[in-house]
Amino acid sequence: MAMASTMSRHHRFSQKMHRSTISQVGAIYYPTLAAIGIPANLVTVAILSQGNVGLTKGITRYLLAMAVADLLALITDVIFNRINDLYFPTCFLDHTPVCSLKFVLVYAALDSSVWLTVAFTFDRFVAICCQQLKGKYCTEKTAAGVIGIVAMLFCAKNARWYFTYQPLYVINNVPWFCDVKLSFYDSAAWVTFDWIDTILTPCVPFLLIFTLNVLTVRHIMVASKARQGFRTQRNGDKRHDPEMQNRRKSIILLFAVSGSFMLLWATHVAVFLYWRITQTYSYETLEDPFYIALETGYMLQVLSSCTNTYIYAVTQTKFREQLKSMLKRPFVLVCQLIK
Protein backbone atom coordinates (compact mmCIF):
# COMPACT_ATOMS: atom_id res chain seq x y z
CA MET A 1 0.00 0.00 0.00
CA ALA A 2 2.83 2.41 0.89
CA MET A 3 4.58 1.52 -2.36
CA ALA A 4 1.38 2.15 -4.36
CA SER A 5 0.88 5.52 -2.65
CA THR A 6 4.50 6.61 -3.25
CA MET A 7 4.51 5.48 -6.88
CA SER A 8 1.17 7.22 -7.37
CA ARG A 9 2.66 10.51 -6.14
CA HIS A 10 5.60 10.16 -8.47
CA HIS A 11 3.27 9.29 -11.37
CA ARG A 12 1.14 12.38 -10.67
CA PHE A 13 4.29 14.52 -10.70
CA SER A 14 5.27 12.96 -14.02
CA GLN A 15 1.82 13.74 -15.42
CA LYS A 16 2.18 17.34 -14.24
CA MET A 17 5.55 17.55 -16.00
CA HIS A 18 3.94 16.12 -19.11
CA ARG A 19 1.23 18.81 -19.07
CA SER A 20 3.72 21.71 -19.10
CA THR A 21 4.21 23.33 -22.51
CA ILE A 22 7.91 22.56 -22.84
CA SER A 23 7.36 18.96 -21.67
CA GLN A 24 4.63 18.48 -24.26
CA VAL A 25 7.13 19.61 -26.88
CA GLY A 26 9.70 17.23 -25.40
CA ALA A 27 7.23 14.34 -25.52
CA ILE A 28 7.28 14.63 -29.31
CA TYR A 29 10.81 15.97 -29.75
CA TYR A 30 12.82 13.28 -27.91
CA PRO A 31 11.25 10.20 -29.56
CA THR A 32 11.63 11.89 -32.94
CA LEU A 33 15.25 12.72 -32.19
CA ALA A 34 15.95 9.13 -31.17
CA ALA A 35 14.16 7.74 -34.24
CA ILE A 36 16.26 9.94 -36.56
CA GLY A 37 19.54 10.26 -34.69
CA ILE A 38 20.23 6.65 -33.70
CA PRO A 39 19.86 5.18 -37.25
CA ALA A 40 21.85 8.13 -38.64
CA ASN A 41 24.76 7.49 -36.28
CA LEU A 42 24.62 3.73 -36.91
CA VAL A 43 24.85 4.38 -40.66
CA THR A 44 27.74 6.82 -40.06
CA VAL A 45 29.62 4.23 -37.98
CA ALA A 46 29.09 1.60 -40.70
CA ILE A 47 30.30 3.89 -43.50
CA LEU A 48 33.30 5.32 -41.65
CA SER A 49 34.37 1.86 -40.48
CA GLN A 50 34.96 0.92 -44.13
CA GLY A 51 37.39 3.83 -44.52
CA ASN A 52 36.37 4.65 -48.09
CA VAL A 53 35.18 8.22 -47.69
CA GLY A 54 38.16 10.06 -49.17
CA LEU A 55 39.53 11.29 -45.83
CA THR A 56 42.83 10.53 -44.12
CA LYS A 57 42.86 7.67 -41.62
CA GLY A 58 43.43 10.10 -38.75
CA ILE A 59 40.38 12.23 -39.61
CA THR A 60 38.29 9.10 -40.17
CA ARG A 61 39.21 7.81 -36.72
CA TYR A 62 38.10 11.08 -35.09
CA LEU A 63 34.82 11.15 -37.00
CA LEU A 64 34.16 7.48 -36.19
CA ALA A 65 34.82 8.02 -32.49
CA MET A 66 32.56 11.08 -32.49
CA ALA A 67 29.76 9.06 -34.14
CA VAL A 68 30.08 6.30 -31.51
CA ALA A 69 30.04 8.87 -28.67
CA ASP A 70 27.01 10.60 -30.18
CA LEU A 71 25.23 7.25 -30.53
CA LEU A 72 25.89 6.42 -26.87
CA ALA A 73 24.72 9.90 -25.83
CA LEU A 74 21.44 9.43 -27.68
CA ILE A 75 20.84 5.98 -26.18
CA THR A 76 21.72 6.88 -22.58
CA ASP A 77 20.57 10.49 -22.40
CA VAL A 78 17.58 10.60 -24.74
CA ILE A 79 16.15 7.07 -24.39
CA PHE A 80 17.21 5.94 -20.90
CA ASN A 81 16.84 9.40 -19.35
CA ARG A 82 14.34 11.69 -21.10
CA ILE A 83 12.01 9.26 -22.85
CA ASN A 84 12.03 7.01 -19.79
CA ASP A 85 11.00 9.92 -17.54
CA LEU A 86 8.27 11.05 -19.93
CA TYR A 87 6.68 7.71 -20.80
CA PHE A 88 7.89 5.18 -18.21
CA PRO A 89 8.19 7.15 -14.95
CA THR A 90 8.50 3.99 -12.83
CA CYS A 91 10.54 1.10 -14.23
CA PHE A 92 13.72 -0.85 -13.50
CA LEU A 93 15.81 2.10 -14.76
CA ASP A 94 14.58 3.99 -11.69
CA HIS A 95 16.15 1.60 -9.18
CA THR A 96 18.80 3.72 -7.47
CA PRO A 97 21.88 1.63 -8.50
CA VAL A 98 20.68 1.50 -12.12
CA CYS A 99 19.70 5.16 -12.04
CA SER A 100 23.13 6.15 -10.68
CA LEU A 101 24.90 4.07 -13.35
CA LYS A 102 22.67 5.68 -16.00
CA PHE A 103 23.91 9.15 -15.04
CA VAL A 104 27.54 7.98 -15.13
CA LEU A 105 27.01 6.77 -18.71
CA VAL A 106 25.10 9.91 -19.71
CA TYR A 107 27.82 12.29 -18.52
CA ALA A 108 30.67 10.13 -19.84
CA ALA A 109 29.08 9.96 -23.32
CA LEU A 110 28.37 13.70 -23.44
CA ASP A 111 31.84 14.65 -22.20
CA SER A 112 33.51 12.29 -24.68
CA SER A 113 31.42 13.63 -27.57
CA VAL A 114 32.29 17.24 -26.70
CA TRP A 115 36.00 16.70 -26.16
CA LEU A 116 36.38 14.55 -29.26
CA THR A 117 35.00 17.53 -31.18
CA VAL A 118 37.72 19.65 -29.54
CA ALA A 119 40.37 17.05 -30.44
CA PHE A 120 39.18 16.96 -34.06
CA THR A 121 39.20 20.78 -34.25
CA PHE A 122 42.73 20.92 -32.82
CA ASP A 123 43.93 18.25 -35.27
CA ARG A 124 42.61 20.30 -38.20
CA PHE A 125 44.13 23.48 -36.72
CA VAL A 126 47.54 21.81 -36.62
CA ALA A 127 47.12 20.45 -40.16
CA ILE A 128 46.26 23.89 -41.57
CA CYS A 129 48.28 26.30 -39.44
CA CYS A 130 51.29 24.33 -38.17
CA GLN A 131 52.94 22.72 -41.18
CA GLN A 132 56.09 21.72 -39.29
CA LEU A 133 54.09 19.84 -36.66
CA LYS A 134 51.56 18.39 -39.12
CA GLY A 135 53.65 15.37 -40.16
CA LYS A 136 54.21 14.25 -36.56
CA TYR A 137 50.83 15.04 -35.00
CA CYS A 138 48.20 14.51 -37.74
CA THR A 139 48.58 10.74 -37.96
CA GLU A 140 46.34 7.74 -37.39
CA LYS A 141 48.45 6.66 -34.41
CA THR A 142 48.10 10.04 -32.69
CA ALA A 143 44.36 10.09 -33.36
CA ALA A 144 43.95 6.63 -31.82
CA GLY A 145 45.96 7.70 -28.76
CA VAL A 146 43.98 10.91 -28.25
CA ILE A 147 40.66 9.07 -28.61
CA GLY A 148 41.73 6.44 -26.07
CA ILE A 149 42.88 9.09 -23.57
CA VAL A 150 39.63 11.07 -23.92
CA ALA A 151 37.48 7.95 -23.42
CA MET A 152 39.40 6.69 -20.37
CA LEU A 153 39.75 10.13 -18.79
CA PHE A 154 36.06 11.01 -18.92
CA CYS A 155 34.89 7.54 -17.91
CA ALA A 156 37.11 7.84 -14.84
CA LYS A 157 36.04 11.45 -14.15
CA ASN A 158 32.34 10.67 -14.28
CA ALA A 159 32.52 7.50 -12.17
CA ARG A 160 32.09 9.70 -9.12
CA TRP A 161 28.47 10.41 -10.15
CA TYR A 162 27.62 6.88 -9.05
CA PHE A 163 28.38 7.89 -5.46
CA THR A 164 26.62 11.27 -5.65
CA TYR A 165 23.09 9.89 -5.41
CA GLN A 166 21.01 8.30 -2.69
CA PRO A 167 17.54 6.71 -2.89
CA LEU A 168 14.59 9.06 -2.94
CA TYR A 169 12.42 6.26 -1.54
CA VAL A 170 13.14 2.85 -0.04
CA ILE A 171 10.11 0.61 -0.43
CA ASN A 172 10.19 -3.03 0.67
CA ASN A 173 13.99 -2.72 0.94
CA VAL A 174 14.18 -1.64 -2.71
CA PRO A 175 15.83 1.78 -3.34
CA TRP A 176 14.01 3.94 -5.91
CA PHE A 177 15.09 7.00 -7.93
CA CYS A 178 18.17 9.21 -7.56
CA ASP A 179 18.34 12.04 -5.09
CA VAL A 180 21.53 14.09 -4.73
CA LYS A 181 23.18 13.59 -1.34
CA LEU A 182 23.31 16.62 0.95
CA SER A 183 27.07 16.17 1.26
CA PHE A 184 27.31 17.07 -2.42
CA TYR A 185 26.21 20.60 -1.50
CA ASP A 186 27.99 20.85 1.86
CA SER A 187 31.39 19.32 1.13
CA ALA A 188 34.03 21.74 -0.19
CA ALA A 189 35.61 18.90 -2.19
CA TRP A 190 32.33 18.07 -3.93
CA VAL A 191 31.57 21.72 -4.64
CA THR A 192 35.06 22.23 -6.09
CA PHE A 193 34.73 19.10 -8.21
CA ASP A 194 31.32 20.28 -9.46
CA TRP A 195 32.81 23.61 -10.53
CA ILE A 196 35.69 21.88 -12.33
CA ASP A 197 33.21 19.52 -13.98
CA THR A 198 30.97 22.30 -15.28
CA ILE A 199 33.91 24.39 -16.46
CA LEU A 200 35.39 21.42 -18.33
CA THR A 201 32.08 20.88 -20.12
CA PRO A 202 30.91 23.00 -21.81
CA CYS A 203 32.77 26.27 -21.10
CA VAL A 204 36.37 25.28 -21.92
CA PRO A 205 35.48 23.29 -25.08
CA PHE A 206 33.28 26.12 -26.33
CA LEU A 207 36.09 28.64 -25.81
CA LEU A 208 38.75 26.36 -27.33
CA ILE A 209 36.72 25.56 -30.45
CA PHE A 210 35.89 29.23 -30.98
CA THR A 211 39.54 30.29 -30.53
CA LEU A 212 40.94 27.55 -32.78
CA ASN A 213 38.46 28.38 -35.53
CA VAL A 214 39.26 32.09 -35.35
CA LEU A 215 43.00 31.36 -35.61
CA THR A 216 42.38 28.93 -38.49
CA VAL A 217 40.29 31.47 -40.40
CA ARG A 218 42.93 34.16 -39.84
CA HIS A 219 45.68 31.86 -41.12
CA ILE A 220 43.67 30.92 -44.20
CA MET A 221 42.91 34.55 -45.05
CA VAL A 222 46.56 35.58 -44.72
CA ALA A 223 47.77 32.55 -46.70
CA SER A 224 45.17 33.09 -49.42
CA LYS A 225 46.06 36.77 -49.80
CA ALA A 226 49.77 36.01 -49.95
CA ARG A 227 49.32 33.21 -52.48
CA GLN A 228 47.00 35.31 -54.63
CA GLY A 229 49.56 38.12 -54.67
CA PHE A 230 52.34 35.70 -55.60
CA ARG A 231 50.32 34.21 -58.47
CA THR A 232 49.40 37.67 -59.75
CA GLN A 233 53.04 38.76 -59.80
CA ARG A 234 54.05 35.53 -61.47
CA ASN A 235 51.53 35.18 -64.28
CA GLY A 236 48.80 37.76 -63.74
CA ASP A 237 46.13 35.06 -63.21
CA LYS A 238 43.68 35.68 -60.36
CA ARG A 239 40.85 33.52 -61.54
CA HIS A 240 41.56 29.93 -60.57
CA ASP A 241 43.91 28.36 -58.04
CA PRO A 242 43.43 24.56 -57.73
CA GLU A 243 45.47 24.33 -54.54
CA MET A 244 43.40 26.99 -52.75
CA GLN A 245 40.20 25.38 -54.00
CA ASN A 246 41.28 22.04 -52.48
CA ARG A 247 42.28 23.75 -49.26
CA ARG A 248 38.88 25.43 -48.98
CA LYS A 249 37.11 22.12 -49.48
CA SER A 250 39.24 20.45 -46.83
CA ILE A 251 38.23 22.99 -44.16
CA ILE A 252 34.50 23.00 -44.95
CA LEU A 253 34.14 19.84 -42.86
CA LEU A 254 35.97 21.43 -39.93
CA PHE A 255 33.85 24.58 -39.87
CA ALA A 256 30.61 22.64 -40.42
CA VAL A 257 31.24 20.24 -37.52
CA SER A 258 32.64 22.74 -35.02
CA GLY A 259 30.24 25.51 -36.10
CA SER A 260 27.26 23.21 -35.63
CA PHE A 261 28.53 22.28 -32.16
CA MET A 262 28.92 25.92 -31.11
CA LEU A 263 25.54 26.95 -32.49
CA LEU A 264 23.63 24.12 -30.80
CA TRP A 265 25.46 24.46 -27.47
CA ALA A 266 25.24 28.28 -27.31
CA THR A 267 21.89 28.39 -25.49
CA HIS A 268 23.03 25.77 -22.96
CA VAL A 269 26.24 27.70 -22.26
CA ALA A 270 24.32 31.00 -21.87
CA VAL A 271 21.85 29.43 -19.42
CA PHE A 272 24.69 27.80 -17.51
CA LEU A 273 26.53 31.13 -17.12
CA TYR A 274 23.31 32.87 -16.04
CA TRP A 275 22.63 30.06 -13.56
CA ARG A 276 26.10 30.27 -12.01
CA ILE A 277 26.44 34.07 -11.98
CA THR A 278 22.96 34.78 -10.54
CA GLN A 279 22.91 31.58 -8.43
CA THR A 280 19.46 30.74 -9.77
CA TYR A 281 19.12 27.13 -8.66
CA SER A 282 15.33 26.77 -8.79
CA TYR A 283 12.24 27.91 -10.67
CA GLU A 284 8.74 28.79 -9.51
CA THR A 285 6.65 26.84 -12.03
CA LEU A 286 7.13 24.66 -15.09
CA GLU A 287 6.18 27.69 -17.19
CA ASP A 288 8.98 29.78 -15.65
CA PRO A 289 11.14 31.41 -18.40
CA PHE A 290 14.29 30.06 -16.73
CA TYR A 291 12.97 26.49 -16.85
CA ILE A 292 11.89 26.91 -20.48
CA ALA A 293 15.33 28.31 -21.41
CA LEU A 294 17.00 25.45 -19.52
CA GLU A 295 14.99 22.79 -21.35
CA THR A 296 15.39 24.54 -24.71
CA GLY A 297 19.16 24.62 -24.27
CA TYR A 298 19.09 20.94 -23.38
CA MET A 299 17.04 20.08 -26.48
CA LEU A 300 19.47 21.91 -28.75
CA GLN A 301 22.45 20.34 -26.97
CA VAL A 302 21.27 16.75 -27.56
CA LEU A 303 20.39 17.67 -31.15
CA SER A 304 24.13 18.11 -31.75
CA SER A 305 24.47 14.34 -31.26
CA CYS A 306 22.72 13.58 -34.56
CA THR A 307 23.70 16.42 -36.92
CA ASN A 308 27.14 15.23 -38.02
CA THR A 309 25.78 12.52 -40.33
CA TYR A 310 23.90 15.14 -42.34
CA ILE A 311 26.94 17.42 -42.36
CA TYR A 312 29.06 14.62 -43.83
CA ALA A 313 26.36 13.86 -46.41
CA VAL A 314 26.29 17.51 -47.54
CA THR A 315 30.02 18.25 -47.48
CA GLN A 316 31.68 14.93 -48.43
CA THR A 317 31.05 13.53 -51.91
CA LYS A 318 32.40 10.04 -51.21
CA PHE A 319 30.46 9.76 -47.97
CA ARG A 320 27.33 10.70 -49.91
CA GLU A 321 28.09 8.01 -52.48
CA GLN A 322 28.59 5.38 -49.76
CA LEU A 323 25.35 6.48 -48.10
CA LYS A 324 23.38 6.15 -51.36
CA SER A 325 24.89 2.72 -51.96
CA MET A 326 23.96 1.57 -48.45
CA LEU A 327 20.38 2.83 -48.77
CA LYS A 328 19.97 1.11 -52.15
CA ARG A 329 21.37 -2.23 -50.93
CA PRO A 330 18.17 -3.56 -49.25
CA PHE A 331 16.13 -2.83 -52.39
CA VAL A 332 18.74 -4.53 -54.55
CA LEU A 333 18.64 -7.62 -52.32
CA VAL A 334 14.83 -7.70 -52.45
CA CYS A 335 14.89 -7.47 -56.24
CA GLN A 336 17.43 -10.29 -56.41
CA LEU A 337 15.28 -12.49 -54.15
CA ILE A 338 12.17 -11.79 -56.26
CA LYS A 339 14.02 -12.73 -59.42
Side-chain angles (χ1 to χ4, degrees):
M1 191 178 218
M3 180 175 181
S5 175
T6 302
M7 294 305 181
S8 176
R9 287 200 303 272
H10 183 73
H11 183 66
R12 287 198 298 272
F13 175 76
S14 177
Q15 288 180 323
K16 183 179 178 183
M17 287 285 290
H18 202 83
R19 285 198 297 270
S20 68
T21 303
I22 193 68
S23 295
Q24 288 177 349
V25 173
I28 299 172
Y29 177 80
Y30 291 115
T32 304
L33 187 66
I36 295 173
I38 290 176
N41 279 295
L42 284 171
V43 168
T44 300
V45 170
I47 293 175
L48 292 175
S49 297
Q50 297 174 11
N52 299 320
V53 291
L55 299 170
T56 65
K57 291 184 178 180
I59 296 176
T60 302
R61 275 189 178 269
Y62 280 119
L63 299 184
L64 179 59
M66 290 162 62
V68 172
D70 288 342
L71 177 62
L72 293 175
L74 287 171
I75 293 172
T76 57
D77 202 4
V78 176
I79 295 181
F80 291 169
N81 191 21
R82 288 293 170 150
I83 293 178
N84 173 64
D85 288 347
L86 286 166
Y87 290 99
F88 309 100
T90 306
C91 69
F92 80 96
L93 289 173
D94 297 309
H95 290 304
T96 303
V98 179
C99 178
S100 300
L101 179 61
K102 175 183 71 177
F103 284 116
V104 172
L105 297 175
V106 167
Y107 293 127
L110 286 174
D111 280 353
S112 297
S113 177
V114 170
W115 279 93
L116 285 171
T117 304
V118 175
F120 168 72
T121 305
F122 181 74
D123 179 271
R124 293 299 84 204
F125 166 77
V126 171
I128 295 169
C129 303
C130 308
Q131 294 298 312
Q132 293 182 347
L133 185 59
K134 176 182 176 180
K136 294 181 179 180
Y137 184 82
C138 302
T139 64
E140 183 182 10
K141 184 177 179 181
T142 300
V146 171
I147 292 166
I149 290 171
V150 168
M152 289 188 294
L153 179 63
F154 287 105
C155 284
K157 181 183 83 69
N158 288 294
R160 59 101 185 191
W161 286 107
Y162 188 85
F163 307 99
T164 303
Y165 298 102
Q166 62 185 0
L168 185 60
Y169 308 114
V170 178
I171 303 169
N172 295 332
N173 294 322
V174 178
W176 285 92
F177 307 110
C178 286
D179 187 33
V180 178
K181 295 178 181 177
L182 291 177
S183 60
F184 181 80
Y185 300 104
D186 298 335
S187 169
W190 280 113
V191 172
T192 302
F193 198 98
D194 185 49
W195 266 101
I196 294 173
D197 180 67
T198 48
I199 289 172
L200 280 176
T201 305
C203 291
V204 172
F206 199 84
L207 181 62
L208 283 174
I209 290 174
F210 177 78
T211 302
L212 290 171
N213 279 339
V214 168
L215 292 174
T216 302
V217 170
R218 179 178 176 276
H219 177 86
I220 291 170
M221 290 178 65
V222 172
S224 298
K225 187 176 180 180
R227 183 170 177 81
Q228 186 178 38
F230 174 76
R231 283 174 57 83
T232 301
Q233 290 179 359
R234 188 174 181 181
N235 53 24
D237 184 11
K238 297 183 181 181
R239 292 174 297 175
H240 183 67
D241 185 348
E243 184 175 333
M244 291 306 301
Q245 290 290 335
N246 292 334
R247 186 179 297 180
R248 289 190 188 97
K249 290 179 182 179
S250 69
I251 63 172
I252 286 175
L253 179 62
L254 166 65
F255 292 154
V257 171
S258 57
S260 171
F261 168 83
M262 293 183 64
L263 181 65
L264 294 175
W265 276 76
T267 302
H268 179 76
V269 172
V271 172
F272 163 76
L273 293 174
Y274 173 81
W275 169 41
R276 283 298 186 181
I277 292 171
T278 64
Q279 296 185 346
T280 305
Y281 300 124
S282 61
Y283 38 85
E284 296 296 329
T285 68
L286 297 180
E287 302 297 337
D288 190 298
F290 175 71
Y291 175 74
I292 293 174
L294 187 68
E295 287 297 306
T296 302
Y298 186 84
M299 288 180 178
L300 293 174
Q301 170 203 316
V302 294
L303 177 61
S304 67
S305 295
C306 68
T307 55
N308 285 348
T309 301
Y310 304 98
I311 290 173
Y312 305 155
V314 171
T315 61
Q316 302 298 307
T317 303
K318 290 191 176 182
F319 182 91
R320 191 160 54 247
E321 291 172 355
Q322 292 286 329
L323 179 60
K324 289 178 181 178
S325 176
M326 182 172 289
L327 293 176
K328 290 178 181 178
R329 199 168 299 163
F331 299 101
V332 173
L333 291 174
V334 170
C335 292
Q336 291 176 347
L337 289 174
I338 293 174
K339 291 179 181 180

